[in-house]
Amino acid sequence: MADLEIFRKTLGSLGTNCYILVNHDTGECVVFDPGDEAEVLKEIFHSPAFQLQAIFLTHGHYDHIGAVKELKDTFHVPVYASKEENEQVLSKVEVNLSAAFGRSISLKADEVLRDGQKLDILGTTITCILTPGHTAGGMCFYIEELQSLIAGDTLFCESVGRTDFPTGNGAVLLNSIHEKLFTLPDETKVFPGHNDSTTIGWEKENNMVCAIG
């Protein structure tokens, strides 16, 4: 069993949570949603203890992708995102909201992911769970070995992601949560795109937005 650990870095003006999954046995790691402060992240990934292998995106909003290009250019690693997000959000500055904030970020994934796809990386398996609603191609990443879910802006502690942005849909989001996430074990730790972590069990009992839905 690999010696795995998840680290959180909160970045940028919107306090976006970036997560780093590292295998301490090899020093290899992947990053989820490097949203800003590329120089801070580059300093981490220049360390032998954090050798970057890939970039994973839960969705394409500007506050989750702001450091992607610089990391990709520096470390020559692939970018992974869902097929739907790659086609509808990542490359469109009006849809990914970067134009509205003066950034104009346009990206394309190197590898597109499908719902239920399993990736063997860092000596473990990451399961890709398509959870549309916050955006058309929102995707969560489940690391069963750690009983952990990288949830992006789909599910928060006692809340859910906004659905009033382009490609968002409230009914679809709640269905994604109930059908895809609330079927995971209650002890699953949830690492959201903003604010504090939680668990699936806690959200099933205490998330009033989901209860109303």
Side-chain angles (χ1 to χ4, degrees):
M1 186 173 179
D3 183 9
L4 301 169
E5 189 173 2
I6 295 173
F7 293 90
R8 180 177 77 178
K9 292 290 293 183
T10 302
L11 306 170
S13 60
L14 295 185
T16 303
N17 290 332
C18 166
Y19 296 100
I20 301 168
L21 172 66
V22 61
N23 180 332
H24 289 300
D25 294 329
T26 65
E28 296 178 329
C29 69
V30 298
V31 65
F32 299 87
D33 292 357
D36 206 346
E37 301 183 48
E39 291 303 319
V40 171
L41 295 173
K42 284 163 66 176
E43 185 174 352
I44 293 171
F45 300 135
H46 278 304
S47 164
F50 290 91
Q51 303 167 49
L52 187 62
Q53 304 298 305
I55 299 167
F56 286 87
L57 302 178
T58 63
H59 66 291
H61 282 159
Y62 89 100
D63 61 313
H64 290 252
I65 64 173
V68 169
K69 186 177 188 303
E70 195 162 345
L71 292 181
K72 177 178 168 59
D73 290 347
T74 300
F75 298 101
H76 310 291
V77 294
V79 176
Y80 291 80
S82 77
K83 180 177 183 292
E84 294 81 359
E85 201 73 356
N86 192 52
E87 292 175 350
Q88 299 184 47
V89 181
L90 278 176
S91 64
K92 301 177 180 179
V93 297
E94 295 83 8
V95 180
N96 68 31
L97 308 180
S98 63
F101 288 86
R103 298 287 297 272
S104 294
I105 303 167
S106 179
L107 298 175
K108 280 289 187 182
D110 299 294
E111 301 286 345
V112 293
L113 303 170
R114 65 182 185 277
D115 188 28
Q117 184 173 348
K118 294 182 182 295
L119 300 174
D120 294 322
I121 193 167
L122 303 184
T124 193
T125 300
I126 297 175
T127 301
C128 306
I129 305 174
L130 188 67
T131 53
H134 179 63
T135 59
M139 180 166 272
C140 297
F141 298 99
Y142 179 52
I143 304 119
E144 184 175 7
E145 189 172 335
L146 293 180
Q147 295 183 319
S148 296
L149 180 80
I150 309 296
D153 288 1
T154 294
L155 180 64
F156 297 127
C157 182
E158 300 183 15
S159 187
V160 302
R162 290 176 60 170
T163 57
D164 57 334
F165 296 131
T167 78
N169 185 301
V172 170
L173 178 69
L174 291 175
N175 184 69
S176 293
I177 292 169
H178 284 286
E179 299 297 322
K180 299 287 192 68
L181 302 187
F182 281 1
T183 57
L184 296 172
D186 284 354
E187 61 270 21
T188 302
K189 297 181 287 290
V190 178
F191 295 95
H194 301 272
N195 303 320
D196 294 331
S197 59
T198 183
T199 66
I200 291 294
W202 180 265
E203 295 311 306
K204 287 164 68 174
E205 294 293 326
N206 297 282
N207 193 316
M208 293 299 102
V209 182
C210 294
I212 292 170

